[in-house]
Amino acid sequence: MTDYQVDLTNCDREPIHIPGKVQAHGFLVAVDNQFVISYVSENIHAFLPAQAADLLGQKVTTLENLLLQGEETGFISQLLLLGRHTKSFETINPYKVVINGADYNLILSQTGPYFLLEFEPDSTATEVDIHKTIGRSVSEMLAGKQLKQLLDNAAQQVKQLIGYDRIMIYKFLDDGHGEVIAEVKEDHLDPFFGLHYPATDIPKQARDLYKKNLTRIITDVNAESSPILGLAAHGEVKPLDLTCSALRAVSPIHIQYLKNMGVASSFSISLMYRDELWGLIACHNYSPRFINYKAREASKLIGQIISSALEYKQDEANSQKNDQFKAAYNVLSDTLRKGGDIAEAITQHETNILSITDATGAVLVYEDKITTLGQTPDKDDLEALINWLKKNMEDRIYYTHQLPEVYQPAKGFSGMASGILACTLSKEMGELIAWFKPEQLSTVNWAGNPNKPVEVDEHGVVTLSPRRSFDVWQETVRNSSERWTREEIANVLKLRDEVVFAINRQANEIRVLNEKLKQAYEELDTFSFTISHDLRTPLSTIKNYSELLLEANQSLDDDARRILGKVIAGADKLNFLIKEVLNYSRVGRIDLDYTEIDMKALVQEIKNDLVVALNINNLQFEIGETPALYGDQTMVTQVFANLLNNAIKYSAKSNPPKVRVDGKETSSEVIYSISDNGIGIDLNYYNRIFDLFKRMDNVRGYEGTGVGLAIVKRIIEKHNARIWVESELGAGTVFYVAFKRNV
Ligand code: ADP
């Protein structure tokens, strides 16, 4: 692995677009905006009677004079002006010139502030009528219905056009390594078809360059390249960018690589698919070979035709399956749009998340629930994997066909999930969907051992060198699944958007419902407040007149007096109930006024009042720790008054009644317990005791309205505090209240 990295980093860093050299079969001159010669390749003297160094700093007319030897000058400046004006040299290139009686092509291009003038022979290895060939090539190439056939035809056409010994179509796979998927060659050569080449064979910056300049030729790997001399500005010569150059010399490492393969001349054409480098048409010749500009352009055209054919042939290839996925996606999207439970919509029907990809298993993590479909890792493995995903997924989507490579524990379940494609639904909530593909053992034939790009010499010095042997090197690939296709990924992304949309819509619906509920609650509060309030006046009237009747009317008999007494008691009870309901609705209406509450004083005071009110003599009342509480003084008093009232009331018949209040502090809360040894609460109804007017069966014979705990609960909620209860029938009850320490 380390070896591998040596190769990667070094090769990836080599600035191949500024090699400072050109191939020697032609020469280069670069002029600046003022048409002053700023760079010249040293080998110019082999073509023209001039030395490179002498030309630097001269006007371009000097070069013109050398080329034309006395005839009219100015043609290069004209061409440059024209190109500059139309912002392209495409229609000008190539411009024919004659040097020493031989035809040359002048190829013009622009790089930054400079214009490149490259002169190369017009003579070519193959003399073909390019127009005719291209016309025929196009129709023959496109006759192939399948992608494979199209590529085979293209390789054939390129071979005819440029006559190299071997033409390969090389496709880049997801991880950057390449495979030869079509080949046409001279019969005596060994086939390279089906061989794989590691990604490092073509480093990143070479790929970037191939995207910008679609063809490149290396005429003779054994020819010395010629250095480019430059005009120094501020004492420094800046390297000239040769990205667009036709003569660019290539990296010595690449030259060595070709030599190791026995290749003398190489030509390659980029194949693009949706602006990315899809592959190359790689041409090898085993003796030096030059092809002229026109033949290269014709090959480029073939490359471009394949590139555009790829756009639809590639899509066509998987179209049937993709149509199925798409139809499944549409069904899911419809189900989601109908509303209802999201998890159910995408997992519980015949068409579910599994139907939109070729995966064999899937998992949905949503609302704290894990739902699995098809074949997935065991519960524990799955949970660990989900946690890993939650931690490591930075984008909304993550996929690999080699999960065990990035996540070691996956080796344990590679049979189930060597491939994973996951998308987040909500990063904050850790919600996601993931799809799995099983391991697929496969054999890859590498062109030479791909893991040995460095060599150690006899002194132990590690040097970077391309591999010497290209003998087939077989590797059994484990822990790999089938790759995720572009369509599968696109479907997952679309489904993700749809699910996120449904979640948002539901959240909005809940918000609206909440708002309505709040409104209804407020209305109810106002209603109960008003009605209770309005009841009080007629109630006092009833009471007052009954009392008046009782006192003023001595002639009333005993029965009448008893009845009036009952009316008065009833009125009192009703009055008490109204007060309680008013209290309850008040909690909802009043804003909290937080203060630090002295709990010892508060508890003591309540106890004194209650003992008198409830008239209990033998009560054993204990106060333990009383840490201060932070809350609304009136409301907290109400909480403790209600809880203590109940504790004393419901233990009154115990012998003796025992009530204890105790507080303690945790790091985040102050928790109070109020315990009694009274009648207790039936375990099955713990939660109902907090409902308004709810009383248990065992409290018959005890005064009460069933409002107290409802008020307590409301106050607790308003404080963002907690309340819970532990109890045993006939043994006693403990209520706990926990208030936040820092609000
Ligand atoms: P009430 O006015 O009936 O006491 P609360 O709302 O205060 O109404 O309490 C509701 C019910 O909860 C009571 O009727 C009783 O059944 C039960 N309860 C509350 N506190 C206790 C307690 N300390 N011991 C036993 N039961 C209790």
Side-chain angles (χ1 to χ4, degrees), residues 560-580:
R561 283 182 175 280
R562 211 163 22 87
I563 291 167
L564 273 179
K566 280 200 170 166
V567 171
I568 292 165
D572 277 344
K573 200 167 171 188
L574 199 54
N575 198 24
F576 180 68
L577 189 63
I578 289 170
K579 259 199 218 153
E580 288 270 84

Side-chain angles (χ1 to χ4, degrees), residues 118-398:
E118 295 181 272
F119 296 85
E120 56 167 43
D122 186 29
S123 61
T124 193
T126 40
E127 281 305 338
V128 281
D129 182 337
I130 285 172
H131 285 111
K132 240 200 217 148
T133 316
I134 283 288
R136 205 185 45 229
S137 299
V138 173
S139 44
E140 292 205 5
M141 261 163 50
L142 296 180
K145 287 265 181 303
Q146 302 293 323
L147 182 64
K148 166 92 183 73
Q149 220 173 335
L150 170 91
L151 298 174
D152 285 344
N153 289 350
Q156 194 70 51
Q157 295 308 318
V158 173
K159 176 124 176 57
Q160 272 182 19
L161 195 64
I162 64 170
Y164 269 50
D165 294 331
R166 185 196 299 276
I167 314 290
M168 294 171 283
I169 297 195
Y170 186 83
K171 179 187 177 185
F172 293 118
L173 305 174
D174 277 359
D175 61 356
H177 95 264
E179 181 184 359
V180 179
I181 57 169
E183 182 182 42
V184 182
K185 59 171 189 64
E186 295 298 316
D187 290 344
H188 65 276
L189 296 172
D190 285 339
F192 285 177
F193 179 77
L195 287 185
H196 289 245
Y197 290 78
T200 44
D201 277 10
I202 303 175
K204 181 178 177 308
Q205 79 282 34
R207 289 167 205 245
D208 290 345
L209 205 131
Y210 294 178
K211 285 203 255 181
K212 293 181 193 143
N213 190 349
L214 299 179
T215 64
R216 60 224 71 93
I217 184 166
I218 303 166
T219 306
D220 181 358
V221 296
N222 292 307
E224 276 288 316
S225 42
S226 168
I228 301 170
L229 304 188
L231 201 56
H234 312 292
E236 191 192 0
V237 180
K238 279 210 179 124
L240 184 63
D241 185 339
L242 295 186
T243 301
C244 301
S245 150
L247 287 172
R248 179 177 63 85
V250 295
S251 136
I253 296 177
H254 187 59
I255 292 284
Q256 188 59 49
Y257 175 86
L258 292 172
K259 281 184 182 168
N260 290 356
M261 259 190 191
V263 171
S265 176
S266 130
F267 174 57
S268 69
I269 308 156
S270 310
L271 297 177
M272 307 291 291
Y273 177 61
R274 298 191 173 151
D275 297 330
E276 286 303 322
L277 194 64
W278 180 91
L280 299 173
I281 305 179
C283 316
H284 286 169
N285 209 58
Y286 295 89
S287 55
R289 189 173 185 90
F290 173 71
I291 46 171
N292 72 2
Y293 181 81
K294 277 221 166 117
R296 297 203 305 270
E297 284 297 291
S299 312
K300 182 160 108 185
L301 191 60
I302 292 183
Q304 283 166 333
I305 292 164
I306 299 183
S307 295
S308 48
L310 281 176
E311 299 256 338
Y312 66 92
K313 292 277 182 194
Q314 171 105 340
D315 295 346
E316 235 174 53
N318 296 320
S319 66
Q320 206 185 346
K321 215 171 224 178
N322 293 337
D323 286 351
Q324 276 172 21
F325 295 159
K326 220 173 263 164
Y329 160 78
N330 287 337
V331 172
L332 287 184
S333 152
D334 280 352
T335 320
L336 278 168
R337 279 171 193 222
K338 281 189 196 131
D341 188 291
I342 292 174
E344 199 250 3
I346 58 175
T347 60
Q348 300 302 312
H349 300 271
E350 197 183 327
T351 302
N352 52 47
I353 45 177
L354 263 186
S355 329
I356 63 160
T357 69
D358 230 357
T360 44
V363 58
L364 166 73
V365 184
Y366 179 61
E367 287 185 334
D368 290 332
K369 267 215 305 272
I370 297 182
T371 315
T372 56
L373 291 175
Q375 299 200 315
T376 54
D378 291 348
K379 190 169 172 288
D380 289 349
D381 286 338
L382 190 62
E383 274 173 10
L385 173 64
I386 290 169
N387 282 334
W388 178 79
L389 281 173
K390 284 183 193 168
K391 249 189 240 140
N392 294 290
M393 256 176 89
E394 280 168 6
D395 257 336
R396 61 203 168 118
I397 192 143
Y398 171 77

